[in-house]
Amino acid sequence: MDQHHWAERRGKENKQRPDDHRTPYQKDRARIIHAAAFRRLQAKTQIMGIGVDDFYRTRLTHSLEVAQIGSGILGQLRSQQQYKAILPCRSMIETLCLAHDIGHPPFGHGGEIALNYMMRDHGGFEGNGQTLRIVAKLEPYTAGFGMNLTRRTLLGFIKYPQIIDTLWRKQPAINVNDPFINSADWRPAKGLYQADEDVFEWLLAPLPKHDAALLQSHQPFDEFRERTVFKSLDCSIMELADDIAYAVHDLEDAIATGTVTSAHWHELAVNELEQIAHPWLKANLMRISQQLFSCQAPDRKDAIGELVNLFITQAHVSQQDERFQSSLLSYQVGLSEPLAAFLTYLKRFIYQAVIRKPEIQQIEFKGQKLIIDLFSAFASDPMRLLPSSSQAKWADAQEKNGKGHRVISDYISGMTDEYAYKVHQRLFSAP
């Protein structure tokens, strides 16, 4: 694998930084940590709304934990000597994990669905696609190249390597007289924006044409959408770390705040988990279940740590598809089938027991409606209502290609939950 191509940046740099001995990937990590988009994660919803409780995780603390887990996975993988040459460095994995959520809009998936609905005729909206857009174009570290990160880092961010327009099989029906939308219908097709195809093409340039084409493969997902099949080795590490943090640490939040009780766990989870044929689960499920709901906080912490350790230490490299020539695409990181089933069940449990609770869904619905209101207002008179910096971008986009709606989407998606509330009140509430 030619490391030179993967360490390249889209924009040429001439930094006056004498005695700076950092690697390109250490510089990438520093740019993420100092970015405004990264700081805003402290005020964006993870699962429970900001201000509901002071214990739970925000997207910032979640991202810090993902970085810690990703670093742990990488350390574990380095013991597999045959793969050391193709594994990323620690700085790169931490960069991917720290920034994997910076494209998420306010109000979690409710905000994402709302923006996707409002952008339905303008290229759609999707959190991972927005992450690439922020780091490669929007963050004002450079003029036009965003944070100007290395090629390998940018490729590592891409969980769904295909243009969104290609992934829609058909658009859901729309009732223009109904002020509300069905959130299931308007879940995003997961991919990248047509507006950022230039970045995507640059990322794929060092790959053999066969690999680039295969990487963009997709297959039917549901009535409306297709889903991509492959991702890079680096991205698979980041995604596994994200899944572990979501499944285990968000379970801790739910237990600590009383959202999930021992009765919930035993009624919904234990019987299902007993069916998974893994020796650790067979030997430890009941003990871990007892510790999770112990009145002693250290017991719960120890159980959470044991679960995280289980997944980290069992991660391994395997071949993704032998048709790839590039080792960066040929291999991926994952878990054995029983442990993957365990992790998948924990994620599903959090979704069913926490996210789908009516109280949480009502908060998400409120945020969804608020985002639709904001977008409608800005789109009605952008040169009057958008902030001056966004007005200039909107006018420029309209003049170039009539793509001003993407500027409105960029502005709203960058808001924190609290700021979106304030702007909505300024526009719609009585003085």
Side-chain angles (χ1 to χ4, degrees):
M1 184 169 61
D2 189 338
Q3 297 292 344
H4 169 72
H5 287 308
W6 294 109
E8 287 179 335
R9 305 179 188 276
R10 286 179 69 226
K12 302 302 179 185
E13 294 187 352
N14 184 26
K15 303 288 184 185
Q16 303 302 313
R17 307 283 172 85
D19 302 319
D20 185 350
H21 301 298
R22 293 175 300 168
T23 68
Y25 303 111
Q26 288 174 325
K27 293 176 183 177
D28 284 354
R29 181 180 56 190
R31 293 179 189 188
I32 292 293
I33 290 172
H34 293 291
F38 178 68
R39 291 195 299 274
R40 291 190 189 106
L41 294 175
Q42 66 188 306
K44 288 194 176 187
T45 295
Q46 172 63 8
I47 288 183
M48 301 177 189
I50 300 295
V52 173
D53 192 284
D54 63 0
F55 175 86
Y56 64 86
R57 290 157 169 87
T58 66
R59 287 211 181 265
L60 178 61
T61 56
H62 164 75
S63 298
L64 293 171
E65 288 174 333
V66 174
Q68 178 65 25
I69 292 170
S71 180
I73 292 172
L74 183 64
Q76 178 68 25
L77 296 174
R78 288 195 177 280
S79 66
Q80 302 175 33
Q81 294 294 324
Q82 66 272 38
Y83 299 117
K84 286 186 70 173
I86 65 171
L87 290 171
C89 64
R90 178 176 174 177
S91 296
M92 180 192 296
I93 286 302
E94 289 182 348
T95 298
L96 298 180
C97 292
L98 287 170
H100 77 282
D101 265 355
I102 64 172
H104 277 273
F107 311 116
H109 290 292
E112 184 179 45
I113 287 167
L115 282 174
N116 185 53
Y117 173 72
M118 298 306 290
M119 290 293 291
R120 62 191 180 275
D121 297 324
H122 308 282
F125 179 90
E126 196 273 324
N128 186 249
Q130 190 69 18
T131 293
L132 179 68
R133 183 166 174 79
I134 289 170
V135 299
K137 286 190 174 179
L138 299 183
E139 187 68 23
Y141 182 82
T142 65
F145 299 107
M147 301 181 202
N148 203 28
L149 305 179
T150 58
R151 181 185 261 117
R152 182 166 176 174
T153 297
L154 289 178
L155 184 64
F157 278 119
I158 300 176
K159 295 167 66 173
Y160 314 106
Q162 182 54 268
I163 303 301
I164 286 175
D165 300 36
T166 306
L167 298 172
W168 275 105
R169 307 184 73 189
K170 66 176 182 178
Q171 195 177 84
I174 299 172
N175 182 354
V176 294
N177 296 316
D178 190 344
F180 306 111
I181 62 173
N182 184 310
S183 62
D185 285 352
W186 290 100
R187 290 194 305 268
K190 294 181 178 295
L192 308 173
Y193 305 142
Q194 189 77 49
D196 300 324
E197 190 172 21
D198 56 334
V199 178
F200 190 38
E201 289 177 349
W202 178 81
L203 291 179
L204 300 181
L207 294 172
K209 290 184 178 180
H210 171 270
D211 280 17
L214 185 59
L215 179 63
Q216 298 174 71
S217 302
H218 48 92
Q219 59 191 22
F221 177 70
D222 61 16
E223 178 185 1
F224 301 114
R225 289 155 283 249
E226 302 253 330
R227 179 69 68 89
T228 57
V229 180
F230 302 113
K231 57 181 66 68
S232 71
L233 170 70
D234 306 333
C235 185
S236 72
I237 299 174
M238 175 265 283
E239 190 166 39
L240 178 58
D242 186 24
D243 284 348
I244 295 170
Y246 169 73
V248 181
H249 286 306
D250 288 353
L251 174 63
E252 180 185 12
D253 277 3
I255 294 171
T257 57
T259 306
V260 167
T261 66
S262 178
H264 289 139
W265 177 256
H266 283 85
E267 177 185 353
L268 298 174
V270 170
N271 288 340
E272 291 277 349
L273 294 176
E274 285 178 336
Q275 307 307 311
I276 297 176
H278 189 275
W280 186 93
L281 262 181
K282 295 292 185 186
N284 297 287
L285 178 59
M286 298 315 296
R287 174 183 60 82
I288 286 290
S289 297
Q290 184 177 4
Q291 285 183 255
L292 286 173
F293 296 93
S294 170
C295 295
Q296 303 298 319
D299 288 343
R300 185 173 62 239
K301 275 291 182 187
D302 191 50
I304 292 296
E306 191 171 346
L307 288 172
V308 171
N309 179 74
L310 171 69
F311 292 122
I312 287 177
T313 57
Q314 298 305 305
H316 63 271
V317 179
S318 61
Q319 191 163 49
Q320 174 172 228
D321 194 301
E322 62 184 10
R323 292 174 293 174
F324 284 112
Q325 299 175 39
S326 170
S327 57
L328 193 57
L329 303 181
S330 181
Y331 295 95
Q332 65 177 351
V333 172
L335 300 168
S336 65
E337 188 173 331
L339 275 183
F342 181 22
L343 186 60
T344 297
Y345 181 78
L346 289 179
K347 290 167 58 183
R348 190 163 71 244
F349 176 79
I350 289 294
Y351 181 77
Q352 292 172 340
V354 181
I355 296 175
R356 292 301 300 178
K357 283 190 70 173
E359 297 89 337
I360 299 296
Q361 285 300 302
Q362 287 166 10
I363 294 171
E364 192 172 284
F365 172 83
K366 182 179 180 181
Q368 179 179 303
K369 184 64 169 63
L370 185 150
I371 294 295
I372 291 174
D373 287 347
L374 287 180
F375 199 107
S376 299
F378 290 132
S380 72
D381 199 346
M383 293 302 289
R384 176 188 178 198
L385 299 178
L386 284 172
S388 55
S389 59
S390 294
Q391 285 183 20
K393 293 176 183 176
W394 184 89
D396 184 57
Q398 283 294 100
E399 182 179 347
K400 285 182 178 178
N401 51 28
K403 302 294 185 181
H405 282 74
R406 182 61 64 190
V407 174
I408 298 173
S409 173
D410 290 340
Y411 173 57
I412 295 176
S413 68
M415 294 178 176
T416 64
D417 295 24
E418 182 179 2
Y419 185 69
Y421 271 126
K422 288 181 178 178
V423 174
H424 190 271
Q425 286 182 323
R426 195 158 61 233
L427 288 170
F428 294 100
S429 297

